[in-house]
Amino acid sequence: YFGTSVLTDSDSFQEVVVKIERSTYNKPFLGGFRNMRTGVEFHNAGSQTRCKKRPNKGTQTFCRETQTVWEKNKPQQTRNTTSTQMTKIGLYVSNMTDKLLSPGKYFTAEEYHKRRIKAVVVLQKYFRRWHAINVVQNLREQKKLRLAWEAQKESQKKKEKEEKLKREYERKLNPRTKEDFELLYHDLELWIQEETEQINRTLTGAERKAALCALLEQEAQLIACFERHKLNASEENQHKAVLHLLDKCAQPKRWKAYDGKITEMDTQDTLCARELLEIYRSISAKDIPKDERTDVLLTLRCTVMEHECKLTQEIVELIDREVDLISRKVKECNLEGLRKRICTLFLQYIKIPKVNPQVAGLLKVPQDPLKLYKNVYFCHSCENYLPSTEFLIPANSHTVGRCRLCYKLANEARQRESYLKYRLILENLRKSEADYQDDSKIVFLVQLPDLQYMIENIWNCQSALSAWGELYDLVMVRWDKQHEWSPWNAILLTKEEADAHLKLCNLQEAYEAAFIFRIKQKHIRAKNYFAQFPAMSSFLHTNDNQANASSYKIHTSSMKFTEVKEAH
């Protein structure tokens, strides 16, 4: 509300109160213009007065013109006027273009239908010929594609086999991992057995003893060669492990946002770990100029002096000694031991959580001494106290037994078996079970010796379908994919057979009864073997209860169906 003066007479004014109603809607833009000189914009304004509403009469009215449509149907026929002119008196019409029609032979309805059937048969002959040509052509194309696919698969298998043999040869020629040395010792054992059999078959007496002694000397030389390779490989692997640890400490913090993007952030601890990593790489580098080596040593000295301790004093003394020897132009071959000591002490310095906070959660040995008493067991073979992860515990064991290193040494000294094939099968099995995401537990309880027993004694080291015996090509999958994997719900197949098996929906329709019976017998053998283990007994009882419940449901449903049928 606001007041204003209104001129009522020629000389008098009256104060009037004006009420302004604010609109509750946005006014539409009605255009405008802009002053070219001043740049001021002017908008066109609309009226604020509301439209006058019509009075409500109390009755609902409609407009007839918008509801009524007049329709009219009117047929039309176009005219077609024809005429015929005939000869008559006074008019001649030429008949040169006329045709003389004579009646043909009369035939009955039966003859007409026979004629139609004969024509239909002719049409069917030509259609079937065309259809047969197309079918044969399609079969030829499918056969051609099938043969090309089989040739491609065969060449791919051959190429993969050649690559596998080449990879195995390379692994045996330059062994780096534990699996590589297992293959070497396994091949050595096979060669020793063949040579021993040949000597026993061909030689006797003193010649046989001399040949066996020479074979023993060759075996000792090969084992010494293997051990030299193992020392070199352990040094390289240790250096790679140290770099991997330091690189893991230097990784920035990562987290996933709500939109799926990965965000990275460097903290003060990660930057410090990255700086220590670069210094360690520079210190452990070889064949660098003396000036660069001196600069790296001085940088290392400044870095370790930030934290005073006994280890820092030792590192500084070794750095001063190397700088002095470099200034005296001592040969680099004489400085290798000193440089290794510097690298070792600097690595110990990096592993101090006070210096590098990021390494605290990655150390195998915890900083708290009380944590050392948890999950620590005694190995009766090497007489060392080790964490539980260093022990290979099968499902049928009641005690801890020997550690992994002792098992490895015993295998290299006696059996010399290669567990690489079984390890690959177990890794593929655990990976496939993790992809199901149905909380599978039994597969992670089964250890390598248990899987080896299943493959060798229950499945006879061959595919259940094709009897293929190459373990590198075999995988173990679920027999019934609706339930989790277990030794009594498993089948050993090739990779192609496993892919086809997992696509099946009904096993009873896909396989013969004899094959299913054979698989069930193997499952019973596996169940009897693993029933002796305490860790597996609870899963066996759960599985039996589920099977009994399902059989009870089937039995009750069949009984109800029989009662309903009898009632009808």
Side-chain angles (χ1 to χ4, degrees), residues 375-430:
N375 296 327
V376 175
Y377 298 95
F378 180 72
C379 177
H380 296 276
S381 181
C382 61
E383 297 183 353
N384 290 327
Y385 287 95
L386 300 170
S388 59
T389 54
E390 296 296 326
F391 290 87
L392 186 65
I393 305 176
N396 60 348
S397 62
H398 297 277
T399 59
V400 176
R402 296 180 294 179
C403 63
R404 295 178 184 270
L405 182 59
C406 294
Y407 270 112
K408 177 173 165 293
L409 292 176
N411 181 43
E412 291 177 357
R414 297 181 180 90
Q415 296 90 359
R416 293 175 181 172
E417 295 181 359
S418 177
Y419 299 103
L420 178 61
K421 302 176 182 179
Y422 305 105
R423 192 176 291 111
L424 291 176
I425 294 176
L426 183 59
E427 289 176 358
N428 292 331
L429 175 60
R430 289 179 174 175

Side-chain angles (χ1 to χ4, degrees), residues 127-176:
F127 173 76
R128 289 175 179 175
R129 179 175 178 271
W130 171 81
H131 183 65
I133 290 173
N134 289 338
V135 170
V136 172
Q137 189 68 23
N138 291 333
L139 290 176
R140 286 176 180 172
E141 291 293 332
Q142 292 179 7
K143 180 182 177 182
K144 184 178 178 181
L145 294 175
R146 178 71 182 184
L147 292 176
W149 179 78
E150 289 180 356
Q152 182 182 1
K153 287 294 183 181
E154 192 67 27
S155 62
Q156 184 179 358
K157 286 183 180 180
K158 187 176 180 181
K159 186 177 179 180
E160 289 178 356
K161 188 173 181 180
E162 291 177 355
E163 290 179 355
K164 183 184 69 176
L165 293 175
K166 184 178 179 181
R167 193 162 53 248
E168 285 188 2
Y169 178 76
E170 184 66 25
R171 293 178 68 175
K172 294 175 184 177
L173 190 63
N174 298 311
R176 290 290 179 270

Side-chain angles (χ1 to χ4, degrees), residues 117-135:
I117 291 174
K118 186 177 181 181
V120 170
V121 170
V122 172
L123 290 175
Q124 286 182 348
K125 286 181 181 178
Y126 282 100
F127 173 76
R128 289 175 179 175
R129 179 175 178 271
W130 171 81
H131 183 65
I133 290 173
N134 289 338
V135 170

Side-chain angles (χ1 to χ4, degrees), residues 318-409:
L318 294 178
I319 290 173
D320 295 338
R321 188 182 305 174
E322 184 177 355
V323 171
D324 182 53
L325 292 176
I326 290 175
S327 63
R328 295 170 183 261
K329 298 181 180 180
V330 178
K331 295 181 180 180
E332 292 189 359
C333 59
N334 297 328
L335 298 175
E336 289 182 0
L338 180 60
R339 290 177 176 176
K340 287 183 179 180
R341 287 186 62 191
I342 293 176
C343 287
T344 304
L345 293 178
F346 183 59
L347 180 61
Q348 295 178 8
Y349 176 82
I350 293 175
K351 290 183 178 180
I352 298 175
K354 185 179 179 181
V355 177
N356 186 12
Q358 289 291 107
V359 82
L362 301 175
L363 295 176
K364 291 185 177 180
V365 180
Q367 298 299 313
D368 188 4
L370 297 177
K371 294 183 179 180
L372 291 173
Y373 296 99
K374 297 179 181 179
N375 296 327
V376 175
Y377 298 95
F378 180 72
C379 177
H380 296 276
S381 181
C382 61
E383 297 183 353
N384 290 327
Y385 287 95
L386 300 170
S388 59
T389 54
E390 296 296 326
F391 290 87
L392 186 65
I393 305 176
N396 60 348
S397 62
H398 297 277
T399 59
V400 176
R402 296 180 294 179
C403 63
R404 295 178 184 270
L405 182 59
C406 294
Y407 270 112
K408 177 173 165 293
L409 292 176

Side-chain angles (χ1 to χ4, degrees), residues 272-538:
C272 177
R274 196 172 301 165
E275 182 182 356
L276 294 174
L277 172 62
E278 295 299 329
I279 295 175
Y280 182 81
R281 283 178 176 171
S282 303
I283 286 295
S284 59
K286 298 180 180 179
D287 300 330
I288 61 175
K290 294 182 179 180
D291 297 338
E292 294 183 8
R293 179 71 183 180
T294 305
D295 295 340
V296 170
L297 291 173
L298 294 177
T299 304
L300 175 61
R301 177 171 180 163
C302 295
T303 303
V304 299
M305 287 297 291
E306 296 177 359
H307 298 83
E308 290 289 341
C309 60
K310 184 178 180 181
L311 186 61
T312 302
Q313 297 176 2
E314 294 181 6
I315 295 175
V316 170
E317 290 178 359
L318 294 178
I319 290 173
D320 295 338
R321 188 182 305 174
E322 184 177 355
V323 171
D324 182 53
L325 292 176
I326 290 175
S327 63
R328 295 170 183 261
K329 298 181 180 180
V330 178
K331 295 181 180 180
E332 292 189 359
C333 59
N334 297 328
L335 298 175
E336 289 182 0
L338 180 60
R339 290 177 176 176
K340 287 183 179 180
R341 287 186 62 191
I342 293 176
C343 287
T344 304
L345 293 178
F346 183 59
L347 180 61
Q348 295 178 8
Y349 176 82
I350 293 175
K351 290 183 178 180
I352 298 175
K354 185 179 179 181
V355 177
N356 186 12
Q358 289 291 107
V359 82
L362 301 175
L363 295 176
K364 291 185 177 180
V365 180
Q367 298 299 313
D368 188 4
L370 297 177
K371 294 183 179 180
L372 291 173
Y373 296 99
K374 297 179 181 179
N375 296 327
V376 175
Y377 298 95
F378 180 72
C379 177
H380 296 276
S381 181
C382 61
E383 297 183 353
N384 290 327
Y385 287 95
L386 300 170
S388 59
T389 54
E390 296 296 326
F391 290 87
L392 186 65
I393 305 176
N396 60 348
S397 62
H398 297 277
T399 59
V400 176
R402 296 180 294 179
C403 63
R404 295 178 184 270
L405 182 59
C406 294
Y407 270 112
K408 177 173 165 293
L409 292 176
N411 181 43
E412 291 177 357
R414 297 181 180 90
Q415 296 90 359
R416 293 175 181 172
E417 295 181 359
S418 177
Y419 299 103
L420 178 61
K421 302 176 182 179
Y422 305 105
R423 192 176 291 111
L424 291 176
I425 294 176
L426 183 59
E427 289 176 358
N428 292 331
L429 175 60
R430 289 179 174 175
K431 184 179 179 181
S432 63
E433 285 298 306
D435 293 339
Y436 280 105
Q437 296 181 356
D438 56 355
D439 196 19
S440 300
K441 299 178 181 179
I442 302 178
V443 67
F444 298 100
L445 293 177
V446 175
Q447 299 297 322
L448 195 62
D450 306 324
L451 186 71
Q452 181 183 2
Y453 176 84
M454 287 179 58
I455 294 175
E456 291 181 352
N457 299 293
I458 297 177
W459 298 99
N460 299 324
C461 295
Q462 61 183 8
S463 170
L465 277 174
S466 59
W468 182 257
E470 184 63 36
L471 289 180
Y472 281 114
D473 301 332
L474 298 181
V475 292
M476 187 167 284
V477 295
R478 297 180 178 185
W479 166 249
D480 184 3
K481 62 182 180 180
Q482 303 299 329
H483 301 89
E484 69 168 311
W485 183 92
S486 61
W488 48 91
N489 185 32
I491 185 171
L492 188 65
L493 301 169
T494 62
K495 296 178 181 178
E496 294 81 6
E497 294 170 353
D499 294 338
H501 172 78
L502 294 176
K503 294 178 182 178
L504 299 177
C505 297
N506 193 340
L507 300 177
Q508 281 70 23
E509 295 179 359
Y511 297 117
E512 296 180 353
F515 179 77
I516 296 176
F517 177 76
R518 212 162 51 242
I519 298 298
K520 293 297 182 183
Q521 291 297 319
K522 294 181 181 293
H523 290 169
I524 293 172
R525 289 178 57 189
K527 188 177 292 186
N528 293 335
Y529 175 74
F530 283 95
Q532 308 169 10
F533 309 154
M536 291 289 184
S537 58
S538 59

